[in-house]
Amino acid sequence: MGIIKTNKLTFEYIRRDEEGNVEGITRAVDGVDLDIKQGDFIAVLGHNGSGKSTFAKHINAILYPTEGTIWVDGMDTQDEKHLWDIRQEAGMVFQNPDNQIIGQMVEEDVGFGPENMGVPTEEIWERVEESLKAVGMYEYRKHSPNKLSGGQKQRVSIAGVIAMHPKCIILDEPTAMLDPNGRKEVIRAVRALNDVEGITVVLITHYMEEIIHADMVFVMDQGHIAMEGTPREIFSRVDELKELRLDVPQVTLLAHELRQNGVNLPEGILTIEEFTEALAAVSGHQ
Amino acid sequence: MLRNGEIMIRDITLGQYYQADSVIHKLDPRVKLVATIGFIISLFVVDGWIGYVVAALFLACMIKLSKVPFGYMVKGMKAIVFILMITVVFNLFLTPGEPLVTFWKLRITKEGLRIAVMMAVRLSFLIVGSSLMTLTTTPNSLTDGMEKLMGPLKYVKVPVHEVAMMMSIALRFIPILLEETDKIMKAQIARGADFESGNLVKKAKAMVPLLVPLFISAFRRANDLAMAMEARCYRGGEHRTKMKPLRYRSADRAAYCVLLLYFAGCVAIRVCL
Amino acid sequence: MSLILDHVNYVYGEDTSLAVHALKDINLVIPDGQFIGLIGHTGSGKSTLVQHLNGLIRPTSGAIYYNGEDIHDGDYDKKKLRSKVGLVFQYPEHQLFEIDVFKDVCFGPKNLGLSQKETELRAYAALKQVGLADEYFYQSPFDLSGGQKRRVAIAGVLAMKPDILILDEPTAGLDPKGRDEILDQIAKLKEETGITVILVSHSMEDVAKYVERIIVMNRGSVLFDDVPREVFQHYRELEQVGLAAPQVTYIMQALAKRGMKVDTAVTTIREAGQEILRALAL
């Protein structure tokens, strides 16, 4: 069993009208089965309302399945005695950078998690230092979060999670409210965590360029897992992605269009280098 | 007009933390809290000129030690001057006694003058004294200090930790909500809203398009924040350790001694003179 | 009928030690009926600039003329200006407040002092223009999805019948589907009504498809002001200021470097595909 495993994970909620009468039941997550290996970089894609955020909140035991089971490091999230262990092992970073920073000083915010866990004072300081260094925010430790850019705030939030020494970190659209620079900063920090510290990463996003480096990609639609595979496998299915109204990097799209026009390019091209190489090979033949 | 509004919000520097490296800044927040309360009490203990001179000297020394520029403190007090003036004027004209000056229907009495001056001195000392505390203590360590000082109240079921946490979160979100207010206001002005003209009723009505979105946003933020705190294992004050625990050092003990001396002095002045 | 910025400067907190020169000597002419992209990263001054256009911020020096009149003249009607230069803020759905969608859209025209009938007609037309289905008109705006809320908020400004519509990051926080829908709707609106549209964004890729002119802001100054294909040729300078040309530009530049004879100034995938096919056929 991997670090995160689900068995027919289903989450339903009841919609009510203004008088509180039941209007209907929505299945936000519908029978999801997956198994995530320790140390992997996982991306979960899908447009708004596809159920990806609802799914993410199950990993941290913020939501509980209405049917099926989810295990985090072998612990069933519905088992109350594991609640705090699960929240410590599976840290979570949310979308809005302003609404998840609690401390009034960067270092105080990063120390918040360890404080809650009852870590001794000296160790909190060590953890805060190493976490802030891991995301490159150490020099800002005395700053007020209000003075930071969006990307910096998200890196502080990530540091706040790392300081809890999790095995796995779930990022729920961490870049949705950032500009391109901030997005790059955050993704770079996340990749470093995965590469250097070996922390399992589950990145929920709708930006395609952020998933290129993932080990595994799951595409969600209407609560189901609609596609799964490596980024290359996913990106070679351009038409399906378009149908799901997801973006495809321009280079992948261009290669796809050229293929349709009879140019013999391989499917699933992800980078400009790959594209120019492949095109050079083709034009060399002609 | 809006620009003025913007500046007004930013102008409230009264007691906002002033970064400096001073003895006072480094004191334990509990010391500063106790000292501030002690100082305020002392202002009402003494009632002669000598007492005020002693208090003024004490305050002046503390300001000097804190390295906060006096001008900066005074600037922050502008907002309070108005309230101060009203108190002075009321005392000046409305205290019965031996008349000094009379013109038209107004009369200034000897007693009135005395009380007015005393009130002015007391109030301005009180304000300067307490703003000295907030100027030299970050809001966070202030809440920490309060939490620790009020600690014993836990045993009579006062949610001390929760109140302190609420205060510190409120302090963190005030600047965010101020900025948001400014943004929503501008957005509604762009839709032709008018926050300035008309009578009081009309003005109050005009606030609806500002207040509704502001409340909704505050609730959304509160909701998000609660979730983020839970995700980071927050479960109240139990089992919690502190990253910056409060510990008295020798400077703090010395400060308590100084305070005690000052207070004893004030009581002595009251009793002996 | 145009908007002219003449040597506009803006300094935040002018008489304090924290003064920030947010806009530096901006000179722009915005003629009728253009579709403009205003690009810059966070803090480049683009949001400050658009707030000057409808008189929300008064320049520290310089002047802004709308239809030949200085908008900061003593007796100039600001309210009227704001109805003519409609500004949709970032995350505009955060400004919704009425009990139903229709009432919320009526807020703008009502503030202009229009009759009840005219107000409702305009609100109805505006909601149609943003493509919101009738069934949502009498729902609470807070029950709608993110994309729908944003449409309602845009309609709230459109109902004032502006000649110039400025949208500050209209796609922020939306998913690709929502983003495409909103941008397509704006393009359609532009086509049908012929009004001037200024799209503020930090994404070149998003605006390249739609606009005919791109103004790039950096550190409070106008860095480039040209048609997209010309602006993207400066992709290296754009990178230096934290922006990027669309990926297509990089692909074409990489191909040209390898000796392929392609036009590097194409801006869309379709054009790029045709270029490559043409080059391959040679």
Side-chain angles (χ1 to χ4, degrees), chain C residues 181-212:
Chain C
E181 282 171 1
I182 285 272
L183 289 177
D184 287 343
Q185 197 75 49
I186 294 167
K188 198 172 144 216
L189 175 81
K190 162 87 187 63
E191 189 125 311
E192 285 169 359
T193 59
I195 61 173
T196 308
V197 176
I198 303 178
L199 216 52
V200 182
S201 175
H202 44 229
S203 166
M204 291 280 186
E205 242 154 82
D206 286 358
V207 301
K209 216 160 87 189
Y210 301 98
V211 301
E212 55 191 290

Side-chain angles (χ1 to χ4, degrees), chain C:
Chain C
M1 296 289 270
S2 63
L3 198 57
I4 296 168
L5 282 83
D6 182 26
H7 297 286
V8 168
N9 279 281
Y10 182 67
V11 184
Y12 272 113
E14 205 180 350
D15 40 3
T16 70
S17 56
L18 300 162
V20 179
H21 206 158
L23 291 181
K24 294 173 198 156
D25 197 37
I26 306 286
N27 295 293
L28 286 172
V29 177
I30 293 161
D32 269 351
Q34 254 186 0
F35 201 159
I36 302 171
L38 180 61
I39 316 280
H41 62 79
T42 316
S44 61
K46 58 186 196 304
S47 291
T48 312
L49 178 65
V50 293
Q51 289 179 34
H52 276 80
L53 302 184
N54 73 345
L56 272 176
I57 303 181
R58 198 191 175 104
T60 313
S61 70
I64 297 160
Y65 302 94
Y66 180 63
N67 293 339
E69 286 177 271
D70 187 336
I71 65 167
H72 290 291
D73 259 355
D75 55 351
Y76 193 84
D77 186 356
K78 285 266 179 59
K79 219 173 192 175
K80 191 150 173 243
L81 171 76
R82 282 170 195 149
S83 75
K84 289 291 144 202
V85 183
L87 175 56
V88 181
F89 273 78
Q90 207 174 357
Y91 297 103
E93 60 274 22
H94 291 178
Q95 285 105 52
L96 300 176
F97 67 98
E98 271 290 3
I99 50 168
D100 69 46
V101 166
F102 195 74
K103 278 212 178 82
D104 206 284
V105 178
C106 285
F107 181 66
K110 212 166 84 191
N111 285 331
L112 296 179
L114 298 172
S115 69
Q116 178 79 11
K117 198 174 164 203
E118 175 70 10
T119 299
E120 287 179 3
L121 275 174
R122 281 190 178 197
Y124 185 80
L127 281 165
K128 284 278 142 199
Q129 278 175 330
V130 296
L132 198 81
D134 288 28
E135 59 191 280
Y136 299 115
F137 282 20
Y138 298 103
Q139 281 194 15
S140 162
F142 306 109
D143 290 342
L144 304 181
S145 76
Q148 288 167 335
K149 274 188 208 166
R150 194 156 296 182
R151 280 158 196 262
V152 173
I154 294 172
V157 172
L158 275 178
M160 298 171 74
K161 284 210 177 154
D163 291 331
I164 301 177
L165 179 66
I166 307 165
L167 300 118
D168 193 354
E169 305 269 3
T171 63
L174 295 181
D175 62 7
K177 184 171 169 235
R179 179 199 63 203
D180 290 348
E181 282 171 1
I182 285 272
L183 289 177
D184 287 343
Q185 197 75 49
I186 294 167
K188 198 172 144 216
L189 175 81
K190 162 87 187 63
E191 189 125 311
E192 285 169 359
T193 59
I195 61 173
T196 308
V197 176
I198 303 178
L199 216 52
V200 182
S201 175
H202 44 229
S203 166
M204 291 280 186
E205 242 154 82
D206 286 358
V207 301
K209 216 160 87 189
Y210 301 98
V211 301
E212 55 191 290
R213 171 181 172 191
I214 288 182
I215 300 169
V216 180
M217 294 280 297
N218 183 46
R219 294 180 171 198
S221 305
V222 173
L223 187 66
F224 300 112
D225 180 2
D226 213 327
V227 294
R229 52 185 292 140
E230 290 304 322
V231 171
F232 297 152
Q233 289 297 296
H234 300 280
Y235 67 102
R236 278 184 218 280
E237 287 108 309
L238 289 175
E239 261 169 56
Q240 276 164 9
V241 301
L243 295 168
Q247 206 182 18
V248 166
T249 308
Y250 294 91
I251 298 170
M252 298 314 265
Q253 293 286 353
L255 290 177
K257 227 198 222 150
R258 277 178 164 261
M260 203 169 186
K261 290 192 174 43
V262 287
D263 175 11
T264 56
V266 299
T267 55
T268 64
I269 294 172
R270 171 144 304 156
E271 288 168 7
Q274 283 160 2
E275 261 307 295
I276 293 170
L277 285 175
R278 193 188 51 76
L280 284 176
L282 282 178

